[in-house]
Amino acid sequence: MRRIRITVAYDGTDFHGWQIQPDLPTIQGALQNAVSEIEGRPVQVDGSGRTDAGVHALAQVAAFSIANPIPTPNLKKALNRLLPPAIRVLSAEEAAPDFHPRRHARSKTYEYRIFRGEVCSPFERQYVLHHPYPLDTDRIIEAAAVFAGEHDFTAFAASDVSDAEGRSKVRTIFSTVARVEEDRLIYRVRGNGFLKHMVRNLVGTLLECGKGNLTPDDIRRLLVPGCGVKAGPTAPARGLFLVEVEY
Amino acid sequence: MRRIRITVAYDGTDFHGWQIQPDLPTIQGALQNAVSEIEGRPVQVDGSGRTDAGVHALAQVAAFSIANPIPTPNLKKALNRLLPPAIRVLSAEEAAPDFHPRRHARSKTYEYRIFRGEVCSPFERQYVLHHPYPLDTDRIIEAAAVFAGEHDFTAFAASDVSDAEGRSKVRTIFSTVARVEEDRLIYRVRGNGFLKHMVRNLVGTLLECGKGNLTPDDIRRLLVPGCGVKAGPTAPARGLFLVEVEY
Protein backbone atom coordinates (compact mmCIF):
# COMPACT_ATOMS: atom_id res chain seq x y z
CA MET A 1 0.00 0.00 0.00
CA ARG A 2 1.16 3.49 -0.83
CA ARG A 3 -0.01 6.59 1.01
CA ILE A 4 -0.80 9.35 -1.48
CA ARG A 5 -1.09 13.01 -0.64
CA ILE A 6 -3.06 15.21 -3.04
CA THR A 7 -3.66 18.93 -3.28
CA VAL A 8 -7.15 19.73 -4.51
CA ALA A 9 -8.90 22.90 -5.75
CA TYR A 10 -12.67 23.07 -5.84
CA ASP A 11 -15.56 25.34 -6.59
CA GLY A 12 -17.82 24.56 -3.62
CA THR A 13 -20.94 26.16 -5.13
CA ASP A 14 -22.68 22.95 -6.13
CA PHE A 15 -21.47 20.73 -3.27
CA HIS A 16 -22.85 20.07 0.17
CA GLY A 17 -19.45 20.72 1.71
CA TRP A 18 -16.43 18.47 2.14
CA GLN A 19 -17.82 15.70 4.31
CA ILE A 20 -19.40 12.69 2.64
CA GLN A 21 -23.18 12.43 2.98
CA PRO A 22 -25.49 9.80 1.54
CA ASP A 23 -27.15 10.87 -1.73
CA LEU A 24 -25.67 14.38 -1.72
CA PRO A 25 -22.77 15.67 -3.82
CA THR A 26 -19.80 16.34 -1.55
CA ILE A 27 -16.10 16.89 -2.22
CA GLN A 28 -15.01 13.93 -0.11
CA GLY A 29 -17.65 11.75 -1.75
CA ALA A 30 -16.50 12.70 -5.26
CA LEU A 31 -12.83 12.07 -4.37
CA GLN A 32 -13.64 8.72 -2.75
CA ASN A 33 -15.61 7.68 -5.84
CA ALA A 34 -12.68 8.53 -8.10
CA VAL A 35 -10.01 6.86 -5.95
CA SER A 36 -12.21 3.81 -5.36
CA GLU A 37 -12.75 3.48 -9.12
CA ILE A 38 -8.99 3.39 -9.67
CA GLU A 39 -8.41 1.01 -6.76
CA GLY A 40 -11.36 -1.28 -7.55
CA ARG A 41 -12.60 -1.29 -3.96
CA PRO A 42 -13.91 1.39 -1.54
CA VAL A 43 -11.12 3.71 -0.38
CA GLN A 44 -11.37 6.36 2.32
CA VAL A 45 -10.04 9.83 1.54
CA ASP A 46 -9.00 11.94 4.55
CA GLY A 47 -8.98 15.73 4.33
CA SER A 48 -7.19 18.43 6.29
CA GLY A 49 -10.59 19.45 7.59
CA ARG A 50 -14.16 19.94 6.53
CA THR A 51 -15.27 22.90 4.48
CA ASP A 52 -18.92 24.02 4.70
CA ALA A 53 -21.37 23.78 1.83
CA GLY A 54 -20.52 26.49 -0.70
CA VAL A 55 -16.98 27.11 0.59
CA HIS A 56 -14.20 26.89 -2.01
CA ALA A 57 -10.63 25.64 -1.88
CA LEU A 58 -7.55 26.72 -3.80
CA ALA A 59 -5.40 24.04 -2.15
CA GLN A 60 -7.13 21.62 0.18
CA VAL A 61 -4.90 18.70 1.17
CA ALA A 62 -6.17 15.12 1.31
CA ALA A 63 -4.68 11.62 1.51
CA PHE A 64 -5.57 8.02 0.80
CA SER A 65 -3.89 4.60 0.66
CA ILE A 66 -3.91 2.41 -2.43
CA ALA A 67 -2.40 -0.85 -3.61
CA ASN A 68 -2.92 -0.11 -7.33
CA PRO A 69 0.52 0.02 -9.01
CA ILE A 70 -0.33 3.08 -11.14
CA PRO A 71 2.76 5.36 -11.11
CA THR A 72 2.21 8.30 -8.73
CA PRO A 73 2.87 10.90 -11.49
CA ASN A 74 -0.05 9.41 -13.49
CA LEU A 75 -2.48 9.53 -10.59
CA LYS A 76 -3.24 13.23 -10.98
CA LYS A 77 -4.36 12.77 -14.59
CA ALA A 78 -6.31 9.61 -13.79
CA LEU A 79 -8.17 11.30 -10.94
CA ASN A 80 -8.95 14.43 -12.96
CA ARG A 81 -10.41 12.25 -15.69
CA LEU A 82 -12.81 10.72 -13.16
CA LEU A 83 -13.66 13.85 -11.15
CA PRO A 84 -16.22 16.52 -12.09
CA PRO A 85 -14.53 19.67 -13.53
CA ALA A 86 -15.50 21.61 -10.38
CA ILE A 87 -12.90 19.52 -8.48
CA ARG A 88 -9.30 19.40 -9.72
CA VAL A 89 -6.33 17.54 -8.35
CA LEU A 90 -3.39 19.96 -8.61
CA SER A 91 -0.72 17.53 -7.41
CA ALA A 92 -0.34 13.95 -6.20
CA GLU A 93 2.74 12.65 -4.43
CA GLU A 94 3.76 9.76 -2.23
CA ALA A 95 3.65 10.52 1.49
CA ALA A 96 4.80 8.82 4.70
CA PRO A 97 2.63 5.74 5.47
CA ASP A 98 1.20 7.46 8.56
CA PHE A 99 0.58 10.84 6.93
CA HIS A 100 -2.74 12.31 8.06
CA PRO A 101 -3.77 15.62 6.48
CA ARG A 102 -5.75 16.81 9.51
CA ARG A 103 -3.65 15.58 12.41
CA HIS A 104 -0.35 16.63 10.88
CA ALA A 105 -1.44 20.06 9.66
CA ARG A 106 0.52 22.86 11.33
CA SER A 107 -1.53 25.72 9.97
CA LYS A 108 -4.35 26.59 7.65
CA THR A 109 -4.93 29.79 5.74
CA TYR A 110 -8.36 31.05 4.71
CA GLU A 111 -9.31 34.06 2.65
CA TYR A 112 -12.68 35.81 2.58
CA ARG A 113 -13.56 38.14 -0.29
CA ILE A 114 -16.08 40.97 -0.08
CA PHE A 115 -17.00 42.96 -3.18
CA ARG A 116 -18.08 46.51 -2.35
CA GLY A 117 -18.88 47.91 -5.80
CA GLU A 118 -22.44 48.70 -6.82
CA VAL A 119 -22.87 45.87 -9.36
CA CYS A 120 -21.29 42.48 -8.79
CA SER A 121 -19.99 40.75 -11.93
CA PRO A 122 -22.06 37.69 -12.89
CA PHE A 123 -18.73 35.84 -13.17
CA GLU A 124 -17.83 36.49 -9.54
CA ARG A 125 -21.21 36.16 -7.92
CA GLN A 126 -20.44 32.76 -6.43
CA TYR A 127 -16.97 33.74 -5.18
CA VAL A 128 -17.56 36.92 -3.18
CA LEU A 129 -19.94 38.38 -0.65
CA HIS A 130 -21.51 41.37 -2.37
CA HIS A 131 -21.78 44.18 0.16
CA PRO A 132 -22.46 47.48 -1.65
CA TYR A 133 -23.10 49.42 1.57
CA PRO A 134 -20.94 51.76 3.68
CA LEU A 135 -18.20 50.14 5.76
CA ASP A 136 -15.56 51.74 7.95
CA THR A 137 -12.68 49.77 6.50
CA ASP A 138 -10.08 51.39 8.78
CA ARG A 139 -11.98 50.07 11.74
CA ILE A 140 -12.24 46.60 10.16
CA ILE A 141 -8.48 46.58 9.53
CA GLU A 142 -7.89 47.54 13.18
CA ALA A 143 -10.41 44.99 14.48
CA ALA A 144 -9.00 42.14 12.35
CA ALA A 145 -5.64 42.45 14.10
CA VAL A 146 -7.28 41.83 17.48
CA PHE A 147 -7.78 38.12 16.69
CA ALA A 148 -4.00 37.50 16.62
CA GLY A 149 -2.60 35.14 19.25
CA GLU A 150 -3.95 32.30 21.39
CA HIS A 151 -7.58 32.76 22.42
CA ASP A 152 -10.69 30.83 23.39
CA PHE A 153 -12.87 31.18 20.30
CA THR A 154 -16.05 29.78 21.87
CA ALA A 155 -17.94 32.95 20.89
CA PHE A 156 -17.06 32.27 17.24
CA ALA A 157 -17.93 28.57 17.10
CA ALA A 158 -21.10 27.34 15.41
CA SER A 159 -23.88 27.12 18.00
CA ASP A 160 -24.27 23.39 17.29
CA VAL A 161 -20.72 22.71 18.51
CA SER A 162 -21.71 21.66 22.01
CA ASP A 163 -19.54 22.33 25.04
CA ALA A 164 -20.35 18.80 26.17
CA GLU A 165 -17.89 17.58 23.58
CA GLY A 166 -15.29 18.83 26.01
CA ARG A 167 -12.95 19.72 23.20
CA SER A 168 -10.86 22.79 23.68
CA LYS A 169 -11.98 25.87 21.74
CA VAL A 170 -8.60 27.49 22.19
CA ARG A 171 -6.88 28.21 18.90
CA THR A 172 -3.83 30.19 17.90
CA ILE A 173 -4.10 32.74 15.11
CA PHE A 174 -0.71 33.38 13.52
CA SER A 175 -1.81 36.17 11.24
CA THR A 176 -5.07 38.01 10.66
CA VAL A 177 -5.12 40.83 8.13
CA ALA A 178 -7.90 42.74 6.39
CA ARG A 179 -6.92 44.81 3.38
CA VAL A 180 -8.61 46.96 0.77
CA GLU A 181 -7.94 46.21 -2.91
CA GLU A 182 -9.87 48.62 -5.10
CA ASP A 183 -13.54 47.63 -4.78
CA ARG A 184 -12.72 44.67 -2.55
CA LEU A 185 -12.17 44.03 1.11
CA ILE A 186 -10.10 40.89 1.58
CA TYR A 187 -9.60 39.18 4.91
CA ARG A 188 -6.87 36.56 5.28
CA VAL A 189 -6.35 34.52 8.41
CA ARG A 190 -3.79 31.84 9.24
CA GLY A 191 -4.05 29.72 12.37
CA ASN A 192 -3.26 26.34 13.86
CA GLY A 193 -6.90 25.29 13.49
CA PHE A 194 -10.40 26.64 13.15
CA LEU A 195 -13.71 25.70 14.78
CA LYS A 196 -16.80 25.01 12.71
CA HIS A 197 -18.00 28.29 11.08
CA MET A 198 -15.21 30.15 12.88
CA VAL A 199 -13.80 32.06 9.89
CA ARG A 200 -17.28 33.02 8.67
CA ASN A 201 -18.12 34.20 12.20
CA LEU A 202 -14.91 36.23 12.41
CA VAL A 203 -15.89 37.88 9.12
CA GLY A 204 -19.48 38.49 10.24
CA THR A 205 -18.09 40.14 13.37
CA LEU A 206 -15.65 42.28 11.39
CA LEU A 207 -18.57 43.43 9.22
CA GLU A 208 -20.45 44.48 12.36
CA CYS A 209 -17.39 46.53 13.30
CA GLY A 210 -17.39 48.09 9.84
CA LYS A 211 -21.06 49.01 10.20
CA GLY A 212 -20.37 50.64 13.58
CA ASN A 213 -22.31 48.06 15.59
CA LEU A 214 -19.24 46.63 17.37
CA THR A 215 -15.89 48.16 18.35
CA PRO A 216 -12.44 46.57 18.38
CA ASP A 217 -12.83 46.61 22.19
CA ASP A 218 -16.01 44.52 21.85
CA ILE A 219 -13.89 42.02 19.91
CA ARG A 220 -11.36 41.88 22.74
CA ARG A 221 -14.25 41.07 25.07
CA LEU A 222 -15.59 38.40 22.71
CA LEU A 223 -12.30 36.56 23.14
CA VAL A 224 -13.12 36.06 26.83
CA PRO A 225 -15.79 33.32 27.09
CA GLY A 226 -18.91 34.34 28.97
CA CYS A 227 -18.35 38.02 28.27
CA GLY A 228 -21.96 38.51 27.19
CA VAL A 229 -21.08 40.24 23.91
CA LYS A 230 -22.63 38.61 20.88
CA ALA A 231 -20.49 37.85 17.83
CA GLY A 232 -21.66 38.96 14.39
CA PRO A 233 -23.73 36.66 12.18
CA THR A 234 -22.12 33.89 10.11
CA ALA A 235 -20.98 35.41 6.79
CA PRO A 236 -22.16 33.56 3.65
CA ALA A 237 -20.07 30.59 2.53
CA ARG A 238 -19.49 31.74 -1.03
CA GLY A 239 -16.89 34.40 -0.14
CA LEU A 240 -14.66 31.89 1.68
CA PHE A 241 -11.63 30.05 0.25
CA LEU A 242 -9.30 27.58 1.94
CA VAL A 243 -6.05 28.80 0.40
CA GLU A 244 -3.27 26.78 2.03
CA VAL A 245 -2.56 23.98 4.50
CA GLU A 246 0.96 23.81 5.89
CA TYR A 247 2.74 20.76 7.32
CA MET B 1 -43.22 56.23 -23.52
CA ARG B 2 -39.49 56.35 -23.05
CA ARG B 3 -37.05 54.18 -24.98
CA ILE B 4 -34.42 52.77 -22.62
CA ARG B 5 -31.08 51.35 -23.71
CA ILE B 6 -29.35 49.00 -21.28
CA THR B 7 -25.95 47.32 -21.24
CA VAL B 8 -26.07 43.85 -19.74
CA ALA B 9 -23.46 41.33 -18.57
CA TYR B 10 -24.40 37.71 -18.12
CA ASP B 11 -22.99 34.33 -17.26
CA GLY B 12 -24.68 32.20 -19.93
CA THR B 13 -23.92 28.86 -18.25
CA ASP B 14 -27.38 28.22 -16.86
CA PHE B 15 -29.40 29.84 -19.65
CA HIS B 16 -30.78 28.48 -22.90
CA GLY B 17 -29.33 31.42 -24.79
CA TRP B 18 -30.62 34.94 -25.36
CA GLN B 19 -33.88 34.26 -27.18
CA ILE B 20 -37.04 33.79 -25.16
CA GLN B 21 -38.43 30.23 -25.12
CA PRO B 22 -41.45 28.91 -23.29
CA ASP B 23 -40.61 27.27 -19.94
CA LEU B 24 -36.83 27.61 -20.35
CA PRO B 25 -34.58 30.14 -18.63
CA THR B 26 -33.28 32.62 -21.22
CA ILE B 27 -31.62 36.02 -20.95
CA GLN B 28 -34.32 37.79 -22.93
CA GLY B 29 -37.01 36.04 -20.90
CA ALA B 30 -35.43 37.10 -17.59
CA LEU B 31 -35.05 40.71 -18.78
CA GLN B 32 -38.64 40.83 -20.09
CA ASN B 33 -39.90 39.48 -16.75
CA ALA B 34 -38.02 42.18 -14.84
CA VAL B 35 -39.04 45.06 -17.11
CA SER B 36 -42.64 43.83 -17.27
CA GLU B 37 -42.74 43.69 -13.48
CA ILE B 38 -41.70 47.33 -13.29
CA GLU B 39 -44.07 48.39 -16.05
CA GLY B 40 -47.03 46.33 -14.81
CA ARG B 41 -47.72 44.89 -18.26
CA PRO B 42 -45.80 42.67 -20.73
CA VAL B 43 -42.89 44.56 -22.31
CA GLN B 44 -40.70 43.33 -25.16
CA VAL B 45 -36.93 43.62 -24.76
CA ASP B 46 -34.91 43.77 -28.00
CA GLY B 47 -31.28 42.68 -28.06
CA SER B 48 -28.37 43.44 -30.37
CA GLY B 49 -28.50 39.80 -31.40
CA ARG B 50 -28.98 36.31 -30.05
CA THR B 51 -26.30 34.52 -28.13
CA ASP B 52 -26.31 30.72 -28.05
CA ALA B 53 -26.98 28.65 -24.95
CA GLY B 54 -23.91 28.85 -22.70
CA VAL B 55 -22.41 31.93 -24.38
CA HIS B 56 -21.56 34.82 -22.04
CA ALA B 57 -21.73 38.59 -22.44
CA LEU B 58 -19.63 41.32 -20.91
CA ALA B 59 -21.70 44.07 -22.56
CA GLN B 60 -24.74 42.97 -24.53
CA VAL B 61 -26.96 45.91 -25.54
CA ALA B 62 -30.76 45.74 -25.29
CA ALA B 63 -33.65 48.19 -25.38
CA PHE B 64 -37.29 48.47 -24.34
CA SER B 65 -40.03 51.09 -24.12
CA ILE B 66 -41.83 51.94 -20.89
CA ALA B 67 -44.39 54.44 -19.63
CA ASN B 68 -43.48 53.99 -15.94
CA PRO B 69 -42.20 57.34 -14.61
CA ILE B 70 -39.32 55.78 -12.63
CA PRO B 71 -36.27 58.03 -13.13
CA THR B 72 -33.87 56.47 -15.64
CA PRO B 73 -30.93 56.51 -13.15
CA ASN B 74 -32.99 54.33 -10.78
CA LEU B 75 -33.87 51.76 -13.42
CA LYS B 76 -30.52 49.97 -13.22
CA LYS B 77 -30.93 49.30 -9.50
CA ALA B 78 -34.60 48.33 -9.88
CA LEU B 79 -33.80 45.85 -12.67
CA ASN B 80 -30.86 44.33 -10.81
CA ARG B 81 -33.09 43.77 -7.79
CA LEU B 82 -35.49 41.76 -9.97
CA LEU B 83 -32.95 39.88 -12.10
CA PRO B 84 -31.05 36.71 -11.11
CA PRO B 85 -27.42 37.50 -10.07
CA ALA B 86 -26.17 35.77 -13.24
CA ILE B 87 -27.58 38.72 -15.23
CA ARG B 88 -26.53 42.27 -14.33
CA VAL B 89 -27.57 45.57 -15.86
CA LEU B 90 -24.39 47.67 -16.05
CA SER B 91 -26.04 50.84 -17.31
CA ALA B 92 -29.45 52.19 -18.31
CA GLU B 93 -29.96 55.37 -20.28
CA GLU B 94 -32.63 57.04 -22.36
CA ALA B 95 -32.29 56.45 -26.09
CA ALA B 96 -33.90 57.83 -29.25
CA PRO B 97 -37.51 56.62 -29.61
CA ASP B 98 -36.60 54.53 -32.67
CA PHE B 99 -33.37 53.04 -31.23
CA HIS B 100 -33.07 49.37 -32.14
CA PRO B 101 -30.07 47.51 -30.70
CA ARG B 102 -29.81 45.06 -33.59
CA ARG B 103 -30.64 47.22 -36.60
CA HIS B 104 -28.53 50.15 -35.48
CA ALA B 105 -25.47 48.16 -34.40
CA ARG B 106 -22.39 49.10 -36.45
CA SER B 107 -20.14 46.38 -35.10
CA LYS B 108 -19.91 43.60 -32.56
CA THR B 109 -16.86 42.22 -30.86
CA TYR B 110 -16.55 38.66 -29.60
CA GLU B 111 -13.75 37.01 -27.66
CA TYR B 112 -13.06 33.29 -27.40
CA ARG B 113 -10.82 31.96 -24.62
CA ILE B 114 -8.88 28.71 -24.79
CA PHE B 115 -6.96 27.47 -21.76
CA ARG B 116 -3.97 25.32 -22.73
CA GLY B 117 -2.56 24.40 -19.31
CA GLU B 118 -2.73 20.85 -18.02
CA VAL B 119 -5.30 21.46 -15.25
CA CYS B 120 -8.13 23.94 -15.74
CA SER B 121 -9.07 25.91 -12.63
CA PRO B 122 -12.51 24.92 -11.26
CA PHE B 123 -13.28 28.65 -11.16
CA GLU B 124 -12.74 29.07 -14.91
CA ARG B 125 -14.19 25.82 -16.16
CA GLN B 126 -17.35 27.48 -17.48
CA TYR B 127 -15.54 30.39 -19.13
CA VAL B 128 -12.87 28.72 -21.29
CA LEU B 129 -12.41 25.84 -23.66
CA HIS B 130 -9.86 23.57 -22.00
CA HIS B 131 -7.50 22.30 -24.70
CA PRO B 132 -4.38 20.80 -23.07
CA TYR B 133 -3.04 19.37 -26.34
CA PRO B 134 -0.37 20.58 -28.80
CA LEU B 135 -1.32 23.52 -31.03
CA ASP B 136 0.76 25.41 -33.57
CA THR B 137 -0.14 28.85 -32.26
CA ASP B 138 1.93 30.68 -34.89
CA ARG B 139 -0.15 29.05 -37.56
CA ILE B 140 -3.38 29.96 -35.72
CA ILE B 141 -2.25 33.58 -35.46
CA GLU B 142 -1.51 33.60 -39.19
CA ALA B 143 -4.80 31.89 -40.07
CA ALA B 144 -6.90 34.21 -37.90
CA ALA B 145 -5.79 37.20 -39.97
CA VAL B 146 -7.19 35.59 -43.14
CA PHE B 147 -10.78 36.27 -42.05
CA ALA B 148 -10.28 40.06 -42.30
CA GLY B 149 -12.37 41.90 -44.88
CA GLU B 150 -15.66 41.30 -46.67
CA HIS B 151 -16.37 37.64 -47.38
CA ASP B 152 -19.21 35.20 -47.90
CA PHE B 153 -19.21 33.23 -44.64
CA THR B 154 -21.61 30.50 -45.81
CA ALA B 155 -19.04 27.84 -44.86
CA PHE B 156 -19.09 29.12 -41.28
CA ALA B 157 -22.86 29.40 -40.79
CA ALA B 158 -24.79 26.87 -38.73
CA SER B 159 -26.06 24.12 -41.01
CA ASP B 160 -29.65 24.90 -40.01
CA VAL B 161 -29.38 28.38 -41.53
CA SER B 162 -30.98 27.49 -44.83
CA ASP B 163 -30.01 29.14 -48.08
CA ALA B 164 -33.70 29.31 -48.91
CA GLU B 165 -33.91 32.21 -46.49
CA GLY B 166 -32.19 34.13 -49.24
CA ARG B 167 -30.43 36.33 -46.73
CA SER B 168 -26.92 37.38 -47.61
CA LYS B 169 -24.15 35.56 -45.80
CA VAL B 170 -21.66 38.24 -46.66
CA ARG B 171 -20.18 39.92 -43.61
CA THR B 172 -17.30 42.31 -43.06
CA ILE B 173 -14.69 41.49 -40.45
CA PHE B 174 -12.94 44.64 -39.25
CA SER B 175 -10.39 42.91 -37.06
CA THR B 176 -9.52 39.30 -36.31
CA VAL B 177 -6.62 38.59 -33.98
CA ALA B 178 -5.45 35.49 -32.13
CA ARG B 179 -2.90 36.04 -29.38
CA VAL B 180 -1.10 33.98 -26.77
CA GLU B 181 -1.26 35.10 -23.14
CA GLU B 182 0.69 32.71 -20.92
CA ASP B 183 -1.38 29.49 -20.83
CA ARG B 184 -4.16 30.98 -22.92
CA LEU B 185 -4.95 31.43 -26.56
CA ILE B 186 -7.38 34.31 -27.02
CA TYR B 187 -9.19 35.05 -30.24
CA ARG B 188 -10.92 38.40 -30.70
CA VAL B 189 -13.02 39.27 -33.70
CA ARG B 190 -14.89 42.47 -34.57
CA GLY B 191 -17.29 42.62 -37.50
CA ASN B 192 -20.42 44.27 -38.82
CA GLY B 193 -22.44 41.15 -38.06
CA PHE B 194 -22.14 37.43 -37.47
CA LEU B 195 -24.15 34.44 -38.71
CA LYS B 196 -25.50 31.84 -36.31
CA HIS B 197 -22.58 29.85 -34.78
CA MET B 198 -20.17 31.81 -36.97
CA VAL B 199 -17.66 32.82 -34.28
CA ARG B 200 -17.64 29.31 -32.81
CA ASN B 201 -17.09 27.89 -36.31
CA LEU B 202 -14.25 30.33 -36.96
CA VAL B 203 -12.65 29.15 -33.71
CA GLY B 204 -13.21 25.47 -34.53
CA THR B 205 -11.53 26.07 -37.89
CA LEU B 206 -8.59 27.90 -36.30
CA LEU B 207 -8.14 24.93 -33.95
CA GLU B 208 -7.99 22.61 -36.95
CA CYS B 209 -5.22 24.84 -38.32
CA GLY B 210 -3.42 24.63 -34.99
CA LYS B 211 -3.64 20.84 -35.08
CA GLY B 212 -2.22 20.77 -38.61
CA ASN B 213 -5.43 19.55 -40.24
CA LEU B 214 -6.06 22.76 -42.20
CA THR B 215 -3.74 25.44 -43.61
CA PRO B 216 -4.23 29.20 -43.86
CA ASP B 217 -4.67 28.55 -47.59
CA ASP B 218 -7.55 26.18 -46.82
CA ILE B 219 -9.13 29.06 -44.92
CA ARG B 220 -8.80 31.31 -47.95
CA ARG B 221 -10.61 28.63 -49.94
CA LEU B 222 -13.35 28.32 -47.29
CA LEU B 223 -14.19 31.99 -47.89
CA VAL B 224 -15.23 31.08 -51.44
CA PRO B 225 -18.64 29.33 -51.27
CA GLY B 226 -18.75 25.94 -52.89
CA CYS B 227 -15.02 25.41 -52.50
CA GLY B 228 -15.50 21.92 -51.12
CA VAL B 229 -13.28 22.46 -48.08
CA LYS B 230 -15.01 21.69 -44.80
CA ALA B 231 -14.82 24.16 -41.93
CA GLY B 232 -13.79 22.96 -38.47
CA PRO B 233 -16.38 21.82 -35.92
CA THR B 234 -18.33 24.33 -33.83
CA ALA B 235 -16.26 25.19 -30.74
CA PRO B 236 -18.07 24.84 -27.39
CA ALA B 237 -20.19 27.80 -26.28
CA ARG B 238 -18.58 28.27 -22.85
CA GLY B 239 -15.39 29.90 -24.18
CA LEU B 240 -17.29 32.64 -26.03
CA PHE B 241 -18.01 36.17 -24.77
CA LEU B 242 -19.85 39.00 -26.51
CA VAL B 243 -17.62 41.84 -25.37
CA GLU B 244 -18.89 44.97 -27.12
CA VAL B 245 -21.57 46.31 -29.45
CA GLU B 246 -20.84 49.62 -31.16
CA TYR B 247 -23.37 52.13 -32.53
Side-chain angles (χ1 to χ4, degrees):
Chain A
M1 296 283 272
R2 276 175 305 158
R3 185 78 174 155
I4 304 290
R5 166 182 167 164
I6 55 175
T7 306
V8 186
Y10 47 82
D11 176 343
T13 307
D14 296 330
F15 294 93
H16 290 254
W18 166 269
Q19 197 184 17
I20 196 162
Q21 296 180 58
D23 305 324
L24 288 175
T26 66
I27 310 296
Q28 188 185 29
L31 287 168
Q32 290 194 175
N33 285 347
V35 176
S36 301
E37 169 108 16
I38 289 169
E39 182 73 346
R41 60 167 186 91
V43 177
Q44 177 174 317
V45 175
D46 303 310
S48 79
R50 302 170 188 173
T51 50
D52 300 332
V55 172
H56 317 291
L58 301 183
Q60 167 73 286
V61 174
F64 54 85
S65 301
I66 53 168
N68 185 306
I70 179 173
T72 306
N74 297 2
L75 255 177
K76 177 170 97 167
K77 199 168 271 190
L79 286 170
N80 282 332
R81 232 185 322 247
L82 293 165
L83 286 164
I87 305 176
R88 292 291 91 181
V89 174
L90 306 179
S91 69
E93 55 193 57
E94 202 161 334
D98 68 341
F99 173 68
H100 193 287
R102 180 171 50 76
R103 286 198 289 271
H104 296 156
R106 288 193 303 124
S107 81
K108 282 187 200 174
T109 304
Y110 283 94
E111 189 168 286
Y112 197 95
R113 301 178 187 173
I114 298 167
F115 177 72
R116 303 189 59 215
E118 185 196 348
V119 178
C120 182
S121 162
F123 308 103
E124 285 205 72
R125 70 192 193 280
Q126 288 157 335
Y127 312 122
V128 295
L129 166 64
H130 185 208
H131 187 87
Y133 313 108
L135 280 179
D136 181 340
T137 52
D138 287 342
R139 198 209 276 250
I140 289 178
I141 289 167
E142 183 193 342
V146 172
F147 296 130
E150 188 182 78
H151 303 287
D152 185 322
F153 284 96
T154 300
F156 299 93
S159 52
D160 63 348
V161 177
S162 98
D163 290 331
E165 286 178 31
R167 289 244 204 85
S168 166
K169 299 200 176 60
V170 174
R171 296 290 184 277
T172 301
I173 300 301
F174 304 127
S175 79
T176 164
V177 176
R179 67 181 196 275
V180 172
E181 261 185 28
E182 295 178 7
D183 275 349
R184 280 149 225 283
L185 178 71
I186 296 169
Y187 174 61
R188 188 180 265 249
V189 60
R190 181 171 158 263
N192 67 349
F194 293 89
L195 304 165
K196 183 175 176 188
H197 288 184
M198 179 169 149
V199 182
R200 293 164 60 191
N201 288 336
L202 296 179
V203 171
T205 302
L206 291 176
L207 283 170
E208 289 303 300
C209 285
K211 294 173 191 171
N213 300 333
L214 287 175
T215 65
D217 268 343
D218 288 328
I219 292 199
R220 284 185 193 93
R221 281 192 281 274
L222 274 165
L223 294 171
V224 180
C227 65
V229 181
K230 213 172 159 299
T234 307
R238 64 180 173 282
L240 186 60
F241 290 74
L242 172 59
V243 297
E244 195 183 2
V245 188
E246 287 174 299
Y247 292 90
Chain B
M1 295 285 272
R2 275 176 305 157
R3 187 76 173 156
I4 305 289
R5 165 180 168 166
I6 56 175
T7 306
V8 186
Y10 47 83
D11 176 343
T13 307
D14 296 330
F15 294 92
H16 290 256
W18 166 267
Q19 197 184 16
I20 196 160
Q21 295 180 59
D23 304 323
L24 287 175
T26 66
I27 310 296
Q28 187 185 27
L31 287 169
Q32 292 194 172
N33 284 347
V35 176
S36 302
E37 169 109 16
I38 289 169
E39 182 73 346
R41 61 168 186 88
V43 176
Q44 178 176 317
V45 175
D46 303 310
S48 79
R50 301 170 189 175
T51 50
D52 299 333
V55 172
H56 316 292
L58 300 184
Q60 167 72 286
V61 175
F64 53 85
S65 301
I66 52 168
N68 185 306
I70 180 173
T72 306
N74 298 1
L75 254 177
K76 178 170 99 169
K77 199 168 270 191
L79 287 169
N80 281 332
R81 233 186 320 250
L82 293 166
L83 286 165
I87 305 176
R88 291 292 92 181
V89 174
L90 305 179
S91 69
E93 56 193 55
E94 204 162 333
D98 68 340
F99 172 69
H100 193 288
R102 179 172 49 75
R103 285 197 289 270
H104 296 155
R106 288 192 304 126
S107 81
K108 282 188 199 173
T109 304
Y110 283 93
E111 189 168 287
Y112 197 95
R113 301 178 187 172
I114 298 167
F115 177 72
R116 303 189 58 214
E118 185 196 348
V119 179
C120 182
S121 162
F123 308 103
E124 285 205 73
R125 71 192 192 280
Q126 288 158 334
Y127 312 123
V128 295
L129 166 64
H130 186 208
H131 188 87
Y133 312 107
L135 280 179
D136 182 340
T137 52
D138 286 342
R139 197 208 277 249
I140 289 179
I141 290 166
E142 183 192 342
V146 173
F147 297 130
E150 188 183 79
H151 304 286
D152 185 322
F153 285 96
T154 298
F156 298 94
S159 52
D160 62 349
V161 177
S162 97
D163 289 331
E165 288 178 30
R167 288 243 205 84
S168 166
K169 298 203 176 59
V170 174
R171 296 291 184 277
T172 301
I173 300 302
F174 304 126
S175 79
T176 164
V177 176
R179 68 182 195 275
V180 172
E181 262 185 26
E182 296 178 5
D183 276 349
R184 280 149 225 281
L185 178 71
I186 296 169
Y187 174 61
R188 187 179 265 249
V189 61
R190 181 170 158 266
N192 67 348
F194 293 89
L195 304 166
K196 185 176 175 187
H197 289 183
M198 178 169 150
V199 181
R200 293 165 59 191
N201 288 336
L202 296 178
V203 171
T205 302
L206 291 176
L207 284 169
E208 289 304 300
C209 284
K211 294 173 191 170
N213 300 333
L214 287 175
T215 65
D217 268 343
D218 289 327
I219 292 198
R220 284 185 194 93
R221 280 191 281 275
L222 275 164
L223 294 171
V224 180
C227 65
V229 181
K230 213 170 158 300
T234 307
R238 64 180 173 282
L240 185 60
F241 289 73
L242 172 59
V243 298
E244 196 183 2
V245 188
E246 287 175 298
Y247 292 92

